[in-house]
Amino acid sequence: MILPPPFVPADSVFRGVGVGSAVVLGQAYVPVTLKTERRRLADIRAAEAEAERFLAAKAKLEADFREARDRLPTEVDPLDREIFDVYLSVLREPGLLKGVLDLILDGRINAEAAVSDILFRYREAVTSRLDPRADYLKDRADDLDQLLEAFTAALTGRERFPRGGFSELTVIIVRNLTPVELTALPRHSLGGIVAESGSATSHTALLAQALEIPAVMGVSGIVSRAASGRRVILDSAEGHVILGPDRDAVGFYRVRAASLAARHREIVRMAHIPAQTLDGAEVEVCGNLQLVDEIPAIMSYGGDGVGLYRTEMSYLSRRTLPGEEDLFGSYRRVLEAARPRPVTIRTLDLGADKIPQGLGSAFSTENQALGLRAIRFCLKHPDVFRVQLRAILRASVFGNMRVMIPMVSGMEEVEAAKAMIDETARELRAEGKEVAGRIPVGIMVEVPAAVCLAAELSAKCDFFSIGTNDLIQYSLALDRTNPEVTDLYQPLHPSILRMIKTVLDVGRKTGTPVSVCGGMAADPLSSALLVGMGARMLSLPYFDIPRIKRLIRMSFLSDLKRLALEALSASTSAEADRTVRSWLLKKHPDLLAA
Ligand code: PEP
Ligand code: MG
């Protein structure tokens, strides 16, 4: 992590979650906050006029949302467009219309206050329903806050942003920015966005990423300290914002902006050189994909394909489950963009901390990581699974697809999942729809039971992919989302290294290709060991691809094998860590620092 230099006063630095990888020096624009005023209405005539005002604002918002959706560039994923459908579906809910009209006509309160009260109830329903730590629930609550702001703007007729754009490169600093506002902002003078609400997975962040607008989200307390017209620096690579920087800070960040741009050019130039060790072993380095819009980045950062497509992500940002056509459109787009490179599409890994709004009641709130998750959920809800399988299989003819089943703990699950895949393929063919002739089907090895059964499972699987994030969670018995046990979450724990080695050895003996797609693949310390232990395919976030490829290109496999043997004989994580760290410090100090 790059911290702001010590000469930058600490109280001018604000932190959040960065979207994109850029440094922007511009002027701040802080829109006025539209307050929700509360008034009592004098009589029924006033209440009726207020109801009319509400209905007109609602109609305007519906038109604005539809227009904003249509204004998005065609390359934005169809599923990302759904953000606007989310708003439209809230607007069209009979409960909203009735609730607001009742409050206006019977409760005699003004439209702004009535809308605010009803949306507040919705918000409470969302936040009280499930695990409050889950980011996407917070995002849904933010969606409702954004809808309230949009309503207030429509009711008061006040615009938060100048229609004609800005005269200088501008960084917008807001409490909340709705996706509609984002798409309506004039792009030529827009340097970036800083928002107090939102996270990396909030809709505004996802759209900013898709539209390549640098942003820092979730920056608390910045709006009250910022003023329009003042200079501001946004570092989206590090998630920092600096208000009112002095000359030294501006000088420092100009250099950083230039070096980031140069690094980006270098990354793109080197990224496409294959990851081959100095003694000739080839390793495929693929990208992990959450959002369809990440696919161009995986390709330009030198990904050899998609090693893990986390398809459940697009289920989380919606109020309703996606339909077959939308899913098919997204999967087809990924396959076509990656072709001829492989795309490993993972079937739904819903459950644990990934519970879509429309399915909340299907999951218990107790011990979620050990509950109905991934393939367990899919087999218990074949109606949901079948829609996804149909979309996957129909997309299979558009590229080089592999299908991967998550959280397998025994043979029966693989058999049942494969039977459903076969049955769905037969059903599609009977309908005259094309399905690829042979689609490799493999599993995530991320539950200790699957490690023990690897030899048997290999007979049923075309490939394995080791999910180290869950393998660590389930082997060391620690919830990966619980901050109280973060220090115990140790990828180099001897039990983890030995389990990974076991799976790689079974793969070699049985001819089953084994990749690694958890967080260990993205870390230079552990990825050096993975290659040394025999992994020949890694899958990681796109921005880590270039440095892991570089590490491989600059290493001898013989060295990595020796290093792995030494680390495997360690009896504690600390000992393994020391071994690898000192090797990396000697051989590739730049990678350790990066
Ligand atoms: C893993 O468990 O390592 C993995 C890659 O899957 P996810 O992080 O999506 O659970
Ligand atoms: Mg997992």
Side-chain angles (χ1 to χ4, degrees):
M1 187 198 286
I2 306 211
L3 294 171
F7 55 77
V8 176
D11 65 350
S12 66
V13 180
F14 293 79
R15 292 167 213 280
V17 184
V19 176
S21 176
V23 166
V24 180
L25 291 92
Q27 69 164 8
Y29 177 81
V30 188
V32 285
T33 310
L34 302 176
K35 290 225 168 56
T36 309
E37 61 163 44
R38 191 167 284 272
R39 279 182 288 120
R40 283 210 66 77
L41 304 169
D43 52 28
I44 186 66
R45 289 252 306 271
E48 279 169 4
E50 196 65 2
E52 289 296 326
R53 201 164 72 87
F54 160 70
L55 291 173
K58 180 171 165 293
K60 176 182 182 307
L61 277 186
E62 286 192 34
D64 284 356
F65 292 153
R66 273 196 303 270
E67 193 198 318
R69 182 183 55 193
D70 299 342
R71 209 186 302 129
L72 285 178
T74 47
E75 62 271 17
V76 172
D77 176 25
L79 287 172
D80 284 351
R81 286 170 200 277
E82 292 288 330
I83 295 158
F84 300 102
D85 293 333
V86 168
Y87 287 146
L88 285 166
S89 70
V90 179
L91 280 184
R92 287 178 192 143
E93 258 177 34
L96 178 102
L97 184 66
K98 182 170 180 323
V100 173
L101 288 177
D102 283 354
L103 284 176
I104 295 174
L105 296 169
D106 301 337
R108 299 274 167 88
I109 59 168
N110 63 320
E112 287 88 339
V115 170
S116 163
D117 288 357
I118 295 298
L119 288 179
F120 184 76
R121 276 183 220 164
Y122 281 25
R123 196 181 194 286
E124 290 231 299
V126 169
T127 48
S128 64
R129 200 173 52 215
L130 287 163
D131 184 347
R133 284 171 307 179
D135 245 10
Y136 61 90
L137 281 180
K138 196 176 143 300
D139 295 343
R140 297 302 74 77
D142 286 343
D143 290 346
L144 292 169
D145 291 345
Q146 292 179 345
L147 191 58
L148 176 60
E149 291 220 14
F151 243 121
T152 312
L155 281 164
T156 55
R158 283 192 282 156
E159 304 266 359
R160 294 208 304 156
F161 301 100
R163 270 191 185 265
F166 308 97
S167 52
E168 264 190 58
L169 190 68
T170 294
V171 173
I172 288 176
I173 302 180
V174 276
R175 256 186 251 291
N176 234 325
L177 185 76
T178 68
V180 177
E181 288 175 321
L182 176 63
T183 55
L185 286 171
R187 294 286 297 281
H188 64 277
S189 49
L190 179 63
I193 288 157
V194 177
E196 288 193 349
S197 69
S199 65
T201 50
S202 61
H203 287 137
T204 302
L206 300 182
L207 260 186
Q209 188 170 46
L211 298 171
E212 294 185 24
I213 300 171
V216 183
M217 311 297 292
V219 187
S220 66
I222 192 166
V223 169
S224 61
R225 299 273 312 281
S228 291
R230 279 184 77 197
R231 294 213 73 69
V232 59
I233 292 171
L234 175 158
D235 183 341
S236 72
E238 293 298 330
H240 292 156
V241 184
I242 297 164
L243 290 182
D246 62 12
R247 276 229 318 264
D248 290 344
V250 168
F252 174 86
Y253 276 96
R254 281 222 169 96
V255 173
R256 176 157 159 71
S259 91
L260 265 184
R263 192 176 119 199
H264 185 73
R265 281 194 300 275
E266 180 66 2
I267 279 174
V268 174
R269 195 175 68 79
M270 301 286 290
H272 298 278
I273 305 175
Q276 189 178 63
T277 60
L278 293 168
D279 41 2
E282 279 194 31
V283 180
E284 260 180 273
V285 182
C286 294
N288 291 349
L289 182 91
Q290 281 68 231
L291 297 168
V292 177
D293 300 310
E294 285 176 303
I295 188 78
I298 292 181
M299 296 299 119
S300 65
Y301 277 62
D304 295 317
V306 175
L308 166 65
Y309 179 2
R310 289 184 165 106
T311 57
E312 62 281 358
M313 293 304 179
S314 60
Y315 283 60
L316 302 181
S317 55
R318 317 160 48 101
R319 288 168 61 86
T320 54
L321 295 180
E324 181 182 325
E325 285 311 313
D326 279 349
L327 293 173
F328 166 68
S330 297
Y331 302 160
R332 174 179 174 169
R333 208 174 133 217
V334 172
L335 281 154
E336 286 182 334
R339 196 166 53 193
R341 285 161 283 214
V343 173
T344 306
I345 183 160
R346 179 171 79 181
T347 59
L348 287 175
D349 185 5
L350 292 172
D353 59 346
K354 294 183 280 194
I355 296 174
Q357 293 183 60
L359 283 172
S361 57
F363 300 89
S364 140
T365 50
E366 294 297 309
N367 268 329
Q368 289 181 328
L370 300 180
L372 199 56
R373 179 180 169 189
I375 190 59
R376 302 173 181 180
F377 167 82
C378 287
L379 294 176
K380 286 225 167 108
H381 292 271
D383 44 333
V384 177
F385 195 23
R386 188 162 287 115
V387 173
Q388 183 187 36
L389 287 180
R390 283 179 62 91
I392 291 176
L393 293 172
R394 280 175 58 200
S396 64
V397 290
F398 293 97
N400 180 359
M401 179 193 277
R402 315 194 310 163
V403 175
M404 178 156 78
I405 306 161
M407 214 187 160
V408 165
S409 53
M411 302 288 279
E412 301 88 338
E413 283 162 341
V414 185
E415 282 159 7
K418 286 179 76 170
M420 261 193 86
I421 293 172
D422 291 345
E423 187 191 311
T424 311
R426 272 197 302 278
E427 180 184 289
L428 284 166
R429 289 192 182 106
E431 291 169 23
K433 300 204 163 76
E434 240 190 301
V435 176
R438 185 171 146 56
I439 306 168
V441 177
I443 61 166
M444 297 273 304
V445 178
E446 52 185 347
V447 177
V451 177
C452 294
L453 284 178
E456 286 86 341
L457 287 166
S458 70
K460 303 258 169 212
C461 298
D462 295 309
F463 63 91
F464 289 154
S465 187
I466 304 176
T468 58
N469 305 339
D470 279 313
L471 189 61
I472 297 168
Q473 156 161 277
Y474 294 125
S475 306
L476 302 185
L478 32 96
D479 179 348
R480 65 194 254 198
T481 65
N482 183 345
E484 286 163 35
V485 287
T486 308
D487 57 324
L488 301 175
Y489 191 91
Q490 293 163 353
L492 302 191
H493 193 283
S495 65
I496 301 298
L497 294 183
R498 291 173 203 182
M499 275 193 261
I500 293 173
K501 178 78 164 70
T502 301
V503 180
L504 287 164
D505 286 350
V506 169
R508 195 171 27 79
K509 280 190 205 126
T510 59
T512 312
V514 182
S515 70
V516 181
C517 64
M520 283 177 75
D523 180 337
L525 284 179
S526 41
S527 60
L529 292 181
L530 293 170
V531 176
M533 287 193 279
R536 292 295 172 270
M537 181 175 167
L538 304 175
S539 191
L540 34 138
Y542 69 83
F543 41 84
D544 286 318
I545 292 174
R547 71 172 178 159
I548 296 300
K549 282 182 101 170
R550 201 168 98 114
L551 166 75
I552 294 165
R553 283 198 301 264
M554 291 169 60
S555 306
F556 282 96
L557 180 64
S558 50
D559 277 353
L560 298 179
K561 280 186 172 166
R562 260 197 306 277
L563 186 69
L565 274 182
E566 208 180 319
L568 277 163
S569 68
S571 50
T572 63
S573 315
E575 201 182 324
D577 188 275
R578 265 196 307 278
T579 303
V580 198
R581 203 172 283 275
S582 67
W583 175 81
L584 209 59
L585 255 180
K586 213 159 59 203
K587 297 276 186 178
H588 309 292
D590 56 321
L591 289 173
L592 205 53

